[in-house]
Amino acid sequence: MSDAPTIASARRRLARQFQDAGIESAALDARLLVGEVSGLDLTGLLIQAERILTAEENERLQSFAARRLRGEPVARILGMREFWGLPFELSADTLVPRPDTETIVEAALAILAERSSLAPRILDIGTGSGAILLALLHECPDAVGVATDISLGALRTARGNAQRLGLADRACFVACDYASALCGPFDLIVSNPPYIPGNEIAALDREVRDHDPRRALDGGDDGLDAYRKIIPESVRLLQPGGVLVVEIGQGQEGDVSALMQASGLTVSDPFRPDLSGIFRAVTGRLAVL
């Protein structure tokens, strides 16, 4: 790609390179990267298809292409990812928000729609980029929220996202291990905790294994360590009738439900599947006194 390609030819060449490397989203990745270096959205890429990339744009594109071919996700290269229709900046301390996690937002919104609270208090444990909490605050203008993370870098990223989305006045960010520094009460607690068994991380796709923070992936020997902490803490922090919604890994619904029930939560709502049909959300409700 050293011969000053047009936007259209750069997209074609890059897509072909990615396809030859076995990248499933080759065409999409090529479009996103060419769009980034040229500053054009999809419409602009089509209208200006014959514009020649500048030397600087072409150099950036080659650098991006090399990173993608080494397995770095496009979201990491761009430094942002869309979630729930909102743009979220990323950092090395945060997971890349994934469509599967939108299942948690859907389940939480259904719960909030049932409640009469005019200003629900929401807690997001292990917030990462802030995606879950900020999506909920965006959808619920009366809600307020608290987000926790043990990583200061993740909290800086989440706070920055709140500011860019105009939600900073309804969200606060607390550095602690899960929710150990909080006293509640909350109407709703949500969490996408680490749930991959430690011995399975080496077998993950390299985009996840090599680029997501291990601390946000590793759920201990059986993948359930985080739930053993989050669920009892949630019982302490929820107000009567409050609800906990957690994301789970494939096949973990039975174990997580048992942990909830053992802590006094009622798992009364059906498990929610993601778009692939895998159960992703388990909901536990604290009894009304």
Side-chain angles (χ1 to χ4, degrees):
M1 296 181 62
S2 59
D3 53 340
T6 65
I7 284 174
S9 65
R11 285 181 62 185
R12 288 193 297 270
R13 286 193 203 181
L14 205 55
R16 191 160 52 246
Q17 279 185 287
F18 291 165
Q19 188 172 20
D20 290 345
I23 297 173
E24 293 183 2
S25 54
L28 174 60
D29 290 359
R31 174 172 70 78
L32 291 172
L33 295 180
V34 174
E36 175 68 12
V37 302
S38 64
L40 299 172
D41 60 13
L42 176 57
T43 301
L45 290 173
L46 295 174
I47 293 174
Q48 300 190 43
E50 298 308 312
R51 174 169 81 75
I52 295 175
L53 291 175
T54 68
E56 181 181 357
E57 290 171 340
N58 192 34
E59 184 177 352
R60 285 187 72 208
L61 186 60
Q62 290 186 69
S63 173
F64 287 170
R67 291 168 64 182
R68 185 70 186 100
L69 289 167
R70 289 195 296 269
E72 188 172 353
V74 167
R76 293 282 181 201
I77 297 170
L78 301 182
M80 68 83 61
R81 176 67 177 263
E82 184 177 288
F83 178 85
W84 201 258
L86 302 171
F88 287 88
E89 289 198 0
L90 309 176
S91 69
D93 302 287
T94 67
L95 290 172
V96 176
R98 293 177 173 83
D100 295 345
T101 302
E102 293 190 352
T103 309
I104 308 305
V105 178
E106 293 170 354
L109 288 174
I111 290 161
L112 291 173
E114 300 171 356
R115 303 185 67 85
S116 59
S117 175
L118 296 179
R121 289 170 50 86
I122 304 170
L123 168 62
D124 181 6
I125 299 176
T127 194
S129 65
I132 298 176
L133 176 64
L134 297 178
L136 292 172
L137 295 182
H138 175 77
E139 294 293 332
C140 304
D142 295 327
V144 294
V146 177
T148 72
D149 207 291
I150 198 170
S151 166
L152 294 177
L155 289 173
R156 283 191 291 268
T157 302
R159 185 182 293 111
N161 282 324
Q163 292 168 345
R164 280 182 290 274
L165 293 170
L167 299 168
D169 61 335
R170 292 192 285 127
C172 65
F173 300 88
V174 178
C176 64
D177 185 20
Y178 296 110
S180 59
L182 304 182
C183 59
F186 293 93
D187 300 285
L188 172 68
I189 299 177
V190 292
S191 183
N192 176 17
Y195 54 70
I196 307 297
N199 62 3
E200 294 181 10
I201 291 177
L204 294 175
D205 185 278
R206 64 176 179 169
E207 294 186 14
V208 176
R209 179 191 66 225
D210 297 342
H211 298 282
D212 276 342
R214 185 182 178 100
R215 184 162 55 189
L217 299 172
D218 193 341
D221 289 344
D222 60 359
L224 301 173
D225 282 1
Y227 302 105
R228 294 188 179 99
K229 294 183 177 181
I230 289 170
I231 292 170
E233 286 188 354
S234 296
V235 171
R236 174 177 65 85
L237 293 169
L238 285 170
Q239 69 171 3
V243 178
L244 168 66
V245 183
V246 294
E247 180 168 334
I248 60 169
Q250 185 170 5
Q252 291 180 326
E253 61 271 14
D255 290 330
V256 173
S257 295
L259 289 171
M260 285 187 177
Q261 291 165 345
S263 291
L265 296 176
T266 300
V267 184
S268 57
D269 298 295
F271 306 131
R272 277 187 175 255
D274 61 20
L275 293 176
S276 299
I278 297 170
F279 290 129
R280 285 294 174 194
V282 176
T283 299
R285 191 179 301 267
L286 188 65
V288 177
L289 298 179

